[in-house]
Amino acid sequence: SIPGVFVLALFTTLLVVLMAKLNGFGIYLLDLFLSLMVAEGFMCVMAVIVPHYIIGIALAAGVFGFFMLCQGFFVVQSEIPPWFIWGHYLAFHTYSFRVFMHNEFDPIDSFDSAQFPSGEAVLKFYDMDNVDVARDLGILVAWLAFFQLLFLGLLWAFHTGKR
């Protein structure tokens, strides 16, 4: 599935980055590819755990929805309640979103906006003024490896052909 996911990420990046004139084609492509691979790994784990695919899709949608709430777009990291901050760090969406934001707004020196005079101001507003792109992409790779290994282990343990 890796070539298919890469083609999907490539075509999406070509359309989005070129048409919207976004910054950093290569980082955008790598971030999107890793995000799609991690999401696919998560869904593979769900497919092994739950007995019926509709339940798995609903459960995964709920988990992804919670992660999206905690990633830093809807609720900025500094405003996430302490009892939900674990969702911010656990969600792979957080690291993907941080890379997308840094990739787009860090190179921008000025805007025609009173609230956001520069890209740095946007990043500061979203509590993303200290993004380390390599670290966040590395975390996505770690999540990818974790989900793939978990999927392999669950398949081996529960689906080896014996009933």
Side-chain angles (χ1 to χ4, degrees):
S1 73
I2 293 174
V5 172
F6 182 77
V7 168
L8 177 66
L10 178 64
F11 284 138
T12 302
T13 302
L14 283 169
L15 290 172
V16 171
V17 171
L18 297 179
M19 291 177 73
K21 298 179 180 157
L22 298 179
N23 297 316
F25 181 87
I27 295 293
Y28 191 98
L29 174 62
L30 181 60
D31 191 24
L32 183 59
F33 173 69
L34 287 174
S35 299
L36 290 172
M37 290 300 297
V38 173
E40 181 179 295
F42 179 78
M43 290 305 294
C44 287
V45 169
M46 277 293 148
V48 173
I49 292 174
V50 298
H52 196 272
Y53 73 95
I54 294 294
I55 296 169
I57 291 172
L59 183 61
V63 171
F64 282 168
F66 172 72
F67 285 166
M68 288 179 0
L69 288 174
C70 295
Q71 76 181 3
F73 178 74
F74 293 112
V75 181
V76 180
Q77 179 185 356
S78 61
E79 296 177 8
I80 296 174
W83 56 88
F84 276 140
I85 197 69
W86 60 270
H88 176 78
Y89 294 109
L90 189 63
F92 71 88
H93 300 77
T94 298
Y95 307 101
S96 178
F97 182 58
R98 286 168 48 97
V99 171
F100 281 134
M101 290 288 286
H102 180 78
N103 187 44
E104 179 56 30
F105 291 107
D106 190 53
I108 297 174
D109 292 327
S110 65
F111 283 121
D112 293 331
S113 169
Q115 184 178 7
F116 301 119
S118 68
E120 203 172 290
V122 174
L123 293 174
K124 190 171 182 91
F125 176 80
Y126 281 100
D127 292 336
M128 295 183 189
D129 46 346
N130 61 349
V131 174
D132 182 358
V133 172
R135 180 183 150 273
D136 287 353
L137 289 174
I139 291 172
L140 286 175
V141 170
W143 271 119
L144 172 59
F146 171 75
F147 283 134
Q148 291 297 330
L149 290 173
L150 183 61
F151 176 57
L152 176 71
L154 289 170
L155 274 181
W156 182 79
F158 298 111
H159 297 279
T160 55
K162 50 188 169 177
R163 296 226 172 225

Short mmCIF file of all heavy atoms in Angstrom, two decimals, residues 22-71:
data_model
loop_
_atom_site.label_atom_id
_atom_site.label_comp_id
_atom_site.label_asym_id
_atom_site.label_seq_id
_atom_site.Cartn_x
_atom_site.Cartn_y
_atom_site.Cartn_z
N LEU A 22 1.33 27.40 -1.70
CA LEU A 22 1.84 27.21 -0.35
C LEU A 22 3.36 27.07 -0.38
O LEU A 22 3.96 26.87 -1.43
CB LEU A 22 1.21 25.97 0.29
CG LEU A 22 -0.30 26.00 0.48
CD1 LEU A 22 -0.78 24.69 1.10
CD2 LEU A 22 -0.73 27.17 1.34
N ASN A 23 3.96 27.12 0.78
CA ASN A 23 5.41 27.01 0.91
C ASN A 23 5.83 25.55 1.12
O ASN A 23 5.09 24.77 1.69
CB ASN A 23 5.90 27.84 2.10
CG ASN A 23 5.62 29.30 1.92
OD1 ASN A 23 5.82 29.85 0.85
ND2 ASN A 23 5.12 29.94 2.95
N GLY A 24 7.04 25.23 0.70
CA GLY A 24 7.67 23.96 1.04
C GLY A 24 7.03 22.72 0.49
O GLY A 24 6.48 21.92 1.24
N PHE A 25 7.15 22.50 -0.81
CA PHE A 25 6.55 21.34 -1.46
C PHE A 25 7.04 20.02 -0.84
O PHE A 25 6.25 19.14 -0.53
CB PHE A 25 6.87 21.38 -2.96
CG PHE A 25 6.28 20.25 -3.73
CD1 PHE A 25 5.00 20.35 -4.24
CD2 PHE A 25 6.99 19.07 -3.95
CE1 PHE A 25 4.44 19.31 -4.97
CE2 PHE A 25 6.44 18.02 -4.66
CZ PHE A 25 5.16 18.15 -5.17
N GLY A 26 8.33 19.87 -0.66
CA GLY A 26 8.90 18.61 -0.19
C GLY A 26 8.48 18.27 1.23
O GLY A 26 8.13 17.12 1.52
N ILE A 27 8.52 19.24 2.13
CA ILE A 27 8.11 18.99 3.51
C ILE A 27 6.62 18.67 3.57
O ILE A 27 6.19 17.79 4.31
CB ILE A 27 8.45 20.20 4.41
CG1 ILE A 27 9.95 20.40 4.49
CG2 ILE A 27 7.84 20.05 5.79
CD1 ILE A 27 10.69 19.30 5.21
N TYR A 28 5.84 19.39 2.78
CA TYR A 28 4.40 19.14 2.74
C TYR A 28 4.13 17.70 2.29
O TYR A 28 3.34 16.98 2.90
CB TYR A 28 3.72 20.13 1.79
CG TYR A 28 2.21 20.14 1.87
CD1 TYR A 28 1.54 21.09 2.63
CD2 TYR A 28 1.45 19.19 1.19
CE1 TYR A 28 0.16 21.10 2.71
CE2 TYR A 28 0.07 19.20 1.27
CZ TYR A 28 -0.57 20.15 2.02
OH TYR A 28 -1.93 20.15 2.11
N LEU A 29 4.81 17.27 1.22
CA LEU A 29 4.63 15.92 0.70
C LEU A 29 5.04 14.88 1.74
O LEU A 29 4.30 13.92 1.99
CB LEU A 29 5.45 15.74 -0.58
CG LEU A 29 5.49 14.33 -1.17
CD1 LEU A 29 4.11 13.87 -1.58
CD2 LEU A 29 6.45 14.30 -2.36
N LEU A 30 6.19 15.05 2.37
CA LEU A 30 6.65 14.09 3.36
C LEU A 30 5.71 14.03 4.56
O LEU A 30 5.37 12.94 5.04
CB LEU A 30 8.07 14.45 3.82
CG LEU A 30 8.70 13.53 4.85
CD1 LEU A 30 8.81 12.10 4.31
CD2 LEU A 30 10.06 14.07 5.26
N ASP A 31 5.27 15.18 5.03
CA ASP A 31 4.36 15.23 6.17
C ASP A 31 3.02 14.56 5.83
O ASP A 31 2.50 13.76 6.61
CB ASP A 31 4.14 16.68 6.61
CG ASP A 31 3.41 16.78 7.93
OD1 ASP A 31 3.47 15.83 8.74
OD2 ASP A 31 2.80 17.84 8.18
N LEU A 32 2.48 14.85 4.68
CA LEU A 32 1.21 14.24 4.27
C LEU A 32 1.36 12.74 4.09
O LEU A 32 0.50 11.96 4.54
CB LEU A 32 0.70 14.89 2.99
CG LEU A 32 -0.65 14.40 2.48
CD1 LEU A 32 -1.74 14.63 3.52
CD2 LEU A 32 -1.01 15.09 1.18
N PHE A 33 2.45 12.31 3.47
CA PHE A 33 2.68 10.88 3.27
C PHE A 33 2.78 10.15 4.61
O PHE A 33 2.14 9.12 4.82
CB PHE A 33 3.96 10.68 2.45
CG PHE A 33 4.37 9.24 2.32
CD1 PHE A 33 3.61 8.35 1.58
CD2 PHE A 33 5.50 8.78 2.96
CE1 PHE A 33 3.98 7.02 1.48
CE2 PHE A 33 5.89 7.45 2.86
CZ PHE A 33 5.13 6.57 2.12
N LEU A 34 3.57 10.70 5.53
CA LEU A 34 3.71 10.05 6.84
C LEU A 34 2.38 10.05 7.60
O LEU A 34 2.04 9.06 8.26
CB LEU A 34 4.80 10.74 7.66
CG LEU A 34 6.23 10.48 7.21
CD1 LEU A 34 7.20 11.33 8.01
CD2 LEU A 34 6.57 9.01 7.31
N SER A 35 1.63 11.14 7.51
CA SER A 35 0.34 11.21 8.19
C SER A 35 -0.63 10.16 7.65
O SER A 35 -1.33 9.49 8.42
CB SER A 35 -0.28 12.60 8.03
OG SER A 35 0.54 13.56 8.61
N LEU A 36 -0.66 10.01 6.34
CA LEU A 36 -1.53 8.99 5.74
C LEU A 36 -1.09 7.59 6.12
O LEU A 36 -1.93 6.71 6.39
CB LEU A 36 -1.56 9.15 4.22
CG LEU A 36 -2.28 10.38 3.68
CD1 LEU A 36 -2.07 10.51 2.18
CD2 LEU A 36 -3.76 10.32 4.01
N MET A 37 0.21 7.35 6.17
CA MET A 37 0.71 6.03 6.55
C MET A 37 0.39 5.71 8.00
O MET A 37 0.03 4.58 8.33
CB MET A 37 2.22 5.93 6.29
CG MET A 37 2.60 5.89 4.82
SD MET A 37 1.90 4.50 3.92
CE MET A 37 2.67 3.12 4.75
N VAL A 38 0.53 6.70 8.90
CA VAL A 38 0.19 6.48 10.30
C VAL A 38 -1.31 6.21 10.45
O VAL A 38 -1.72 5.30 11.18
CB VAL A 38 0.63 7.67 11.18
CG1 VAL A 38 0.13 7.52 12.60
CG2 VAL A 38 2.14 7.81 11.18
N ALA A 39 -2.13 6.98 9.75
CA ALA A 39 -3.58 6.75 9.81
C ALA A 39 -3.94 5.37 9.28
O ALA A 39 -4.80 4.68 9.85
CB ALA A 39 -4.30 7.84 9.02
N GLU A 40 -3.27 4.94 8.23
CA GLU A 40 -3.52 3.61 7.70
C GLU A 40 -3.09 2.53 8.70
O GLU A 40 -3.80 1.53 8.89
CB GLU A 40 -2.78 3.41 6.38
CG GLU A 40 -3.02 2.06 5.76
CD GLU A 40 -2.29 1.88 4.46
OE1 GLU A 40 -2.60 2.60 3.50
OE2 GLU A 40 -1.41 1.00 4.41
N GLY A 41 -1.96 2.73 9.35
CA GLY A 41 -1.51 1.79 10.37
C GLY A 41 -2.49 1.70 11.52
O GLY A 41 -2.79 0.62 12.03
N PHE A 42 -3.01 2.85 11.93
CA PHE A 42 -4.01 2.88 13.01
C PHE A 42 -5.26 2.11 12.59
O PHE A 42 -5.82 1.34 13.38
CB PHE A 42 -4.35 4.33 13.36
CG PHE A 42 -5.38 4.46 14.43
CD1 PHE A 42 -5.04 4.29 15.76
CD2 PHE A 42 -6.71 4.75 14.11
CE1 PHE A 42 -6.00 4.40 16.76
CE2 PHE A 42 -7.66 4.86 15.10
CZ PHE A 42 -7.31 4.69 16.42
N MET A 43 -5.70 2.31 11.37
CA MET A 43 -6.89 1.62 10.90
C MET A 43 -6.65 0.12 10.75
O MET A 43 -7.57 -0.68 10.95
CB MET A 43 -7.37 2.22 9.57
CG MET A 43 -7.95 3.61 9.73
SD MET A 43 -9.28 3.73 10.93
CE MET A 43 -10.55 2.75 10.17
N CYS A 44 -5.44 -0.28 10.41
CA CYS A 44 -5.12 -1.71 10.36
C CYS A 44 -5.23 -2.33 11.74
O CYS A 44 -5.76 -3.44 11.89
CB CYS A 44 -3.71 -1.92 9.80
SG CYS A 44 -3.57 -1.63 8.04
N VAL A 45 -4.73 -1.63 12.75
CA VAL A 45 -4.86 -2.12 14.13
C VAL A 45 -6.34 -2.23 14.51
O VAL A 45 -6.77 -3.21 15.12
CB VAL A 45 -4.07 -1.21 15.10
CG1 VAL A 45 -4.40 -1.55 16.55
CG2 VAL A 45 -2.59 -1.33 14.84
N MET A 46 -7.12 -1.21 14.15
CA MET A 46 -8.56 -1.26 14.44
C MET A 46 -9.22 -2.45 13.77
O MET A 46 -10.09 -3.10 14.35
CB MET A 46 -9.25 0.02 13.93
CG MET A 46 -9.17 1.18 14.83
SD MET A 46 -10.09 0.88 16.32
CE MET A 46 -9.10 1.80 17.42
N ALA A 47 -8.80 -2.75 12.55
CA ALA A 47 -9.40 -3.86 11.81
C ALA A 47 -9.15 -5.19 12.49
O ALA A 47 -9.98 -6.11 12.41
CB ALA A 47 -8.86 -3.89 10.38
N VAL A 48 -8.02 -5.32 13.16
CA VAL A 48 -7.71 -6.57 13.86
C VAL A 48 -8.44 -6.65 15.19
O VAL A 48 -8.87 -7.72 15.61
CB VAL A 48 -6.18 -6.68 14.08
CG1 VAL A 48 -5.83 -7.87 14.95
CG2 VAL A 48 -5.46 -6.79 12.75
N ILE A 49 -8.62 -5.52 15.85
CA ILE A 49 -9.18 -5.51 17.21
C ILE A 49 -10.69 -5.72 17.22
O ILE A 49 -11.20 -6.49 18.03
CB ILE A 49 -8.83 -4.17 17.92
CG1 ILE A 49 -7.34 -4.11 18.19
CG2 ILE A 49 -9.60 -4.03 19.21
CD1 ILE A 49 -6.89 -2.78 18.75
N VAL A 50 -11.41 -5.03 16.35
CA VAL A 50 -12.87 -5.06 16.43
C VAL A 50 -13.44 -6.18 15.55
O VAL A 50 -12.87 -6.51 14.51
CB VAL A 50 -13.49 -3.70 16.04
CG1 VAL A 50 -13.04 -2.62 16.99
CG2 VAL A 50 -13.16 -3.33 14.62
N PRO A 51 -14.57 -6.75 15.95
CA PRO A 51 -15.13 -7.89 15.21
C PRO A 51 -15.86 -7.50 13.92
O PRO A 51 -16.00 -8.33 13.04
CB PRO A 51 -16.10 -8.52 16.21
CG PRO A 51 -16.50 -7.39 17.10
CD PRO A 51 -15.30 -6.48 17.19
N HIS A 52 -16.34 -6.28 13.82
CA HIS A 52 -17.12 -5.87 12.65
C HIS A 52 -16.59 -4.54 12.13
O HIS A 52 -16.30 -3.63 12.90
CB HIS A 52 -18.60 -5.74 13.05
CG HIS A 52 -19.52 -5.71 11.88
ND1 HIS A 52 -19.86 -4.56 11.23
CD2 HIS A 52 -20.15 -6.72 11.22
CE1 HIS A 52 -20.67 -4.82 10.23
NE2 HIS A 52 -20.87 -6.14 10.20
N TYR A 53 -16.47 -4.44 10.81
CA TYR A 53 -15.81 -3.26 10.23
C TYR A 53 -16.54 -1.95 10.51
O TYR A 53 -15.91 -0.91 10.66
CB TYR A 53 -15.57 -3.45 8.74
CG TYR A 53 -16.80 -3.37 7.87
CD1 TYR A 53 -17.15 -2.17 7.26
CD2 TYR A 53 -17.61 -4.47 7.67
CE1 TYR A 53 -18.28 -2.08 6.46
CE2 TYR A 53 -18.74 -4.40 6.88
CZ TYR A 53 -19.06 -3.21 6.28
OH TYR A 53 -20.17 -3.11 5.50
N ILE A 54 -17.86 -1.97 10.60
CA ILE A 54 -18.61 -0.74 10.88
C ILE A 54 -18.27 -0.22 12.28
O ILE A 54 -18.11 0.98 12.49
CB ILE A 54 -20.13 -0.98 10.74
CG1 ILE A 54 -20.50 -1.28 9.30
CG2 ILE A 54 -20.93 0.21 11.25
CD1 ILE A 54 -20.29 -0.14 8.33
N ILE A 55 -18.14 -1.13 13.23
CA ILE A 55 -17.76 -0.74 14.59
C ILE A 55 -16.36 -0.14 14.57
O ILE A 55 -16.09 0.87 15.22
CB ILE A 55 -17.84 -1.95 15.55
CG1 ILE A 55 -19.28 -2.44 15.67
CG2 ILE A 55 -17.28 -1.59 16.92
CD1 ILE A 55 -19.42 -3.77 16.37
N GLY A 56 -15.46 -0.74 13.82
CA GLY A 56 -14.10 -0.23 13.71
C GLY A 56 -14.03 1.15 13.11
O GLY A 56 -13.29 2.03 13.59
N ILE A 57 -14.81 1.38 12.06
CA ILE A 57 -14.83 2.70 11.43
C ILE A 57 -15.39 3.73 12.39
O ILE A 57 -14.85 4.85 12.51
CB ILE A 57 -15.65 2.65 10.11
CG1 ILE A 57 -14.89 1.82 9.06
CG2 ILE A 57 -15.92 4.05 9.59
CD1 ILE A 57 -15.68 1.55 7.81
N ALA A 58 -16.47 3.39 13.09
CA ALA A 58 -17.07 4.34 14.04
C ALA A 58 -16.12 4.63 15.20
O ALA A 58 -15.96 5.79 15.61
CB ALA A 58 -18.39 3.78 14.56
N LEU A 59 -15.48 3.61 15.72
CA LEU A 59 -14.54 3.79 16.83
C LEU A 59 -13.35 4.65 16.40
O LEU A 59 -12.95 5.57 17.10
CB LEU A 59 -14.07 2.43 17.34
CG LEU A 59 -13.15 2.43 18.55
CD1 LEU A 59 -13.85 3.07 19.75
CD2 LEU A 59 -12.73 1.02 18.88
N ALA A 60 -12.81 4.34 15.23
CA ALA A 60 -11.66 5.12 14.72
C ALA A 60 -12.06 6.56 14.43
O ALA A 60 -11.28 7.48 14.70
CB ALA A 60 -11.10 4.47 13.47
N ALA A 61 -13.26 6.78 13.92
CA ALA A 61 -13.73 8.14 13.68
C ALA A 61 -13.82 8.92 14.98
O ALA A 61 -13.44 10.10 15.04
CB ALA A 61 -15.08 8.12 12.97
N GLY A 62 -14.29 8.27 16.02
CA GLY A 62 -14.35 8.92 17.33
C GLY A 62 -12.97 9.25 17.87
O GLY A 62 -12.74 10.35 18.39
N VAL A 63 -12.04 8.33 17.73
CA VAL A 63 -10.66 8.57 18.19
C VAL A 63 -10.02 9.70 17.39
O VAL A 63 -9.41 10.61 17.95
CB VAL A 63 -9.82 7.28 18.11
CG1 VAL A 63 -8.36 7.55 18.37
CG2 VAL A 63 -10.35 6.24 19.09
N PHE A 64 -10.16 9.64 16.06
CA PHE A 64 -9.60 10.71 15.22
C PHE A 64 -10.25 12.05 15.53
O PHE A 64 -9.59 13.09 15.52
CB PHE A 64 -9.77 10.38 13.74
CG PHE A 64 -8.78 9.39 13.20
CD1 PHE A 64 -8.96 8.81 11.96
CD2 PHE A 64 -7.65 9.02 13.92
CE1 PHE A 64 -8.06 7.91 11.44
CE2 PHE A 64 -6.74 8.10 13.42
CZ PHE A 64 -6.96 7.55 12.17
N GLY A 65 -11.55 12.06 15.78
CA GLY A 65 -12.24 13.31 16.14
C GLY A 65 -11.69 13.89 17.43
O GLY A 65 -11.45 15.10 17.53
N PHE A 66 -11.49 13.03 18.43
CA PHE A 66 -10.91 13.51 19.69
C PHE A 66 -9.51 14.05 19.47
O PHE A 66 -9.15 15.12 19.99
CB PHE A 66 -10.89 12.37 20.71
CG PHE A 66 -10.15 12.72 21.97
CD1 PHE A 66 -10.69 13.61 22.88
CD2 PHE A 66 -8.90 12.18 22.22
CE1 PHE A 66 -10.01 13.95 24.03
CE2 PHE A 66 -8.21 12.51 23.37
CZ PHE A 66 -8.76 13.40 24.28
N PHE A 67 -8.72 13.34 18.68
CA PHE A 67 -7.36 13.80 18.40
C PHE A 67 -7.37 15.14 17.67
O PHE A 67 -6.55 16.01 17.95
CB PHE A 67 -6.59 12.77 17.59
CG PHE A 67 -6.13 11.57 18.37
CD1 PHE A 67 -5.70 10.44 17.72
CD2 PHE A 67 -6.14 11.56 19.75
CE1 PHE A 67 -5.26 9.34 18.42
CE2 PHE A 67 -5.71 10.46 20.48
CZ PHE A 67 -5.27 9.34 19.80
N MET A 68 -8.30 15.32 16.75
CA MET A 68 -8.37 16.59 16.02
C MET A 68 -8.76 17.73 16.94
O MET A 68 -8.30 18.86 16.76
CB MET A 68 -9.34 16.47 14.84
CG MET A 68 -8.77 15.63 13.74
SD MET A 68 -9.76 15.33 12.25
CE MET A 68 -11.25 16.16 12.46
N LEU A 69 -9.59 17.46 17.93
CA LEU A 69 -9.94 18.50 18.90
C LEU A 69 -8.73 18.93 19.72
O LEU A 69 -8.63 20.08 20.12
CB LEU A 69 -11.05 18.01 19.82
CG LEU A 69 -12.44 17.90 19.22
CD1 LEU A 69 -13.38 17.26 20.22
CD2 LEU A 69 -12.95 19.25 18.79
N CYS A 70 -7.84 18.01 19.97
CA CYS A 70 -6.69 18.27 20.85
C CYS A 70 -5.41 18.62 20.11
O CYS A 70 -4.39 18.87 20.75
CB CYS A 70 -6.42 17.05 21.73
SG CYS A 70 -7.73 16.67 22.87
N GLN A 71 -5.41 18.65 18.80
CA GLN A 71 -4.16 18.84 18.06
C GLN A 71 -3.65 20.28 18.09
O GLN A 71 -2.48 20.51 17.81
CB GLN A 71 -4.32 18.40 16.62
CG GLN A 71 -5.10 19.38 15.76
CD GLN A 71 -5.25 18.90 14.33
OE1 GLN A 71 -4.84 17.81 13.98
NE2 GLN A 71 -5.86 19.72 13.51
#
